Amino acid sequence: MGSAVVLGIESSCDETGTGLVRDGRLLGHALASSMAEHARFGGVVPEIASRAHLQSLRPVVRRALDDAGLRMSDIGAVAVTTGPGLSGALQVGLAGAKSLAYAPDVPLYGVHHLAGHVAADTLEHGPLPDPCVVLIVSGGHTSLLLVRDLACDPITHLGDTLDDAAGECFDKVARVFGLPYPGGPAIDRAARGGDPGGVAFPRPLTGSRDAPYAFSFSGLKTAAARWAERHPGTRLPVADGAASLQEAIADVLTRKAVAACAEFGVGTLVVVGGVAANTRVALAEERCLAAGITLRVPPLGLCTDNGAMIAAVGDLLLRAGAEPAPLDVSVDPSAPLRFAALHPGARAA
Ligand code: KG4
Ligand code: ZN
């Protein structure tokens, strides 16, 4: 199957992202964010996000084309996030993608958002080895996966979070600590100069009888809230709290990811999603080095939501000869991650 310039569109949450990829190479990308509009509500407001996508989509497509030095007529395929995410936000992206694909009659692919996070790494570090262990840590998901051929093969879940996602834990604890939204980057900044051993936060589900690859972060969130409550009227030592929380999350995540690589005899760990931007991913570096595992983390700008990662999946699907999405493809706001493509036809390819 030949290659073509693939336009990727991401609109599942508060970022409107576009990217252009051909043959695994990122040609250009652009991003608009409505994050500032949600900040005063302490979380993403779906209606505000949808309207922002509607306003941003066309200019963001234009900016990606300008970035790549390409024209609309150069686009040979369109890939769009069809789930999971906010229903209205996804629908804006899909409607735009349909019009951009059907007018010039180029193929359209519906992509799983989390597969996009995985593929983001290929834009910097080349094709993923088969197999590899992938740790996805985003605002809504925390999963440890065994990935073979991302375009064709089913994705095996070794473990998932039983409650909150790692990013959600960062976001919620940041609120309790009086830090701004989004909480992950705020905790990361606040942790500088803090003592990572200053507060003895728990390491959930790391006992010998616990499920080895399952995660749980709601207890950690509660422990952080209780700790904050113990400082009424006094100044909260936020730096120590932030550093200790970050350490606890990084410790649990990397411990389990490295153990999975060892158990399944896999030589490469890929850490992706917004939380992969955290400073304490350094702990994964130390542990992978000690265990002889190659660690791959996408560049910071491609860790959080973007359109380039969706284009990267579209490019893989196109080159694998996957069947494009039908005209009536729709969004799936709670789609489980089983395949990179969300429309069934593509999986038979
Ligand atoms: O992958 P992403 O951009 O969006 C989702 O698909 O959810 O992830 C967003 C999450 C948020 O919870 C945010 O707080 C977290 O990633 N995050 C971070 C950092 N940057 C973003 N968490 C920890 N440290 C960071 N530096
Ligand atoms: Zn994401």
Side-chain angles (χ1 to χ4, degrees), residues 7 14 65 103-104 107 123 143 152 168 177 188 197 214 238 251 269 307 344:
L7 167 69
D14 56 353
L65 285 168
L123 297 173
S143 298
C152 313
E168 200 175 350
F177 284 4
D188 207 344
V238 173
D251 181 15
L269 170 65

Side-chain angles (χ1 to χ4, degrees), residues 13-14 34-49 86 171-172 175 179-183:
C13 193
D14 56 353
S34 59
M35 199 177 276
E37 295 172 59
H38 308 287
R40 69 191 172 100
F41 302 103
V44 177
V45 182
E47 288 79 2
I48 294 178
L86 303 169
D171 293 334
K172 288 177 175 167
R175 232 175 139 158
L179 298 169
Y181 168 86

Side-chain angles (χ1 to χ4, degrees), residues 309-338:
M309 68 187 200
I310 304 305
V313 177
D315 172 61
L316 290 174
L317 292 171
L318 178 83
R319 287 190 285 140
E323 195 65 36
L327 193 69
D328 62 352
V329 64
S330 56
V331 302
D332 185 351
S334 57
L337 178 60
R338 294 201 191 99

Side-chain angles (χ1 to χ4, degrees), residues 39-305:
R40 69 191 172 100
F41 302 103
V44 177
V45 182
E47 288 79 2
I48 294 178
S50 302
R51 194 173 54 222
H53 288 306
L54 205 51
Q55 285 166 346
S56 302
L57 190 56
R58 272 177 59 94
V60 172
V61 170
R62 167 65 37 215
R63 273 171 43 214
L65 285 168
D66 289 348
D67 189 35
L70 294 172
R71 292 184 308 187
M72 205 68 102
S73 56
D74 294 318
I75 295 169
V78 179
V80 60
T81 305
T82 46
L86 303 169
S87 173
L90 290 166
Q91 283 177 41
V92 174
L94 178 59
K98 279 185 179 177
S99 64
L100 290 169
Y102 292 141
D105 194 24
V106 299
L108 175 74
Y109 298 98
V111 167
H112 196 289
H113 176 79
L114 295 178
H117 277 299
V118 181
D121 187 63
T122 65
L123 297 173
E124 179 79 5
H125 301 120
L128 293 170
D130 173 2
C132 57
V133 167
V134 178
L135 173 66
I136 294 193
V137 272
S138 73
H141 297 85
T142 300
S143 298
L144 204 48
L145 311 169
L146 191 64
V147 173
R148 305 202 73 98
D149 183 333
L150 186 62
C152 313
D153 292 332
I155 294 162
T156 307
H157 286 246
L158 303 175
D160 300 275
T161 182
L162 305 178
D163 39 59
D164 291 358
E168 200 175 350
C169 182
F170 274 114
D171 293 334
K172 288 177 175 167
V173 173
R175 232 175 139 158
V176 176
F177 284 4
L179 298 169
Y181 168 86
I187 297 237
D188 207 344
R189 280 192 303 274
R192 286 183 208 147
D195 177 4
V199 190
F201 286 136
R203 305 292 194 260
L205 296 186
T206 51
S208 57
R209 270 176 297 173
D210 289 323
Y213 307 125
F215 300 97
S216 167
F217 293 105
S218 76
L220 191 52
K221 173 188 67 186
T222 309
R226 293 291 99 82
W227 172 79
E229 281 166 15
R230 283 201 294 276
H231 296 77
T234 59
R235 260 177 61 91
L236 191 67
V238 173
D240 284 353
S244 300
L245 179 83
Q246 194 163 279
E247 197 62 23
I249 294 176
D251 181 15
V252 172
L253 290 173
T254 57
R255 212 189 283 191
K256 292 189 178 230
V258 168
C261 289
E263 180 179 341
F264 294 95
V266 173
T268 303
L269 170 65
V270 192
V271 184
V272 301
V275 179
N278 189 268
T279 310
R280 283 307 285 151
V281 167
L283 191 56
E285 268 165 43
E286 292 162 25
R287 288 179 175 172
C288 282
L289 190 67
I293 296 163
T294 305
L295 175 68
R296 293 176 44 152
V297 185
L300 243 100
L302 295 180
C303 281
T304 44
D305 291 351

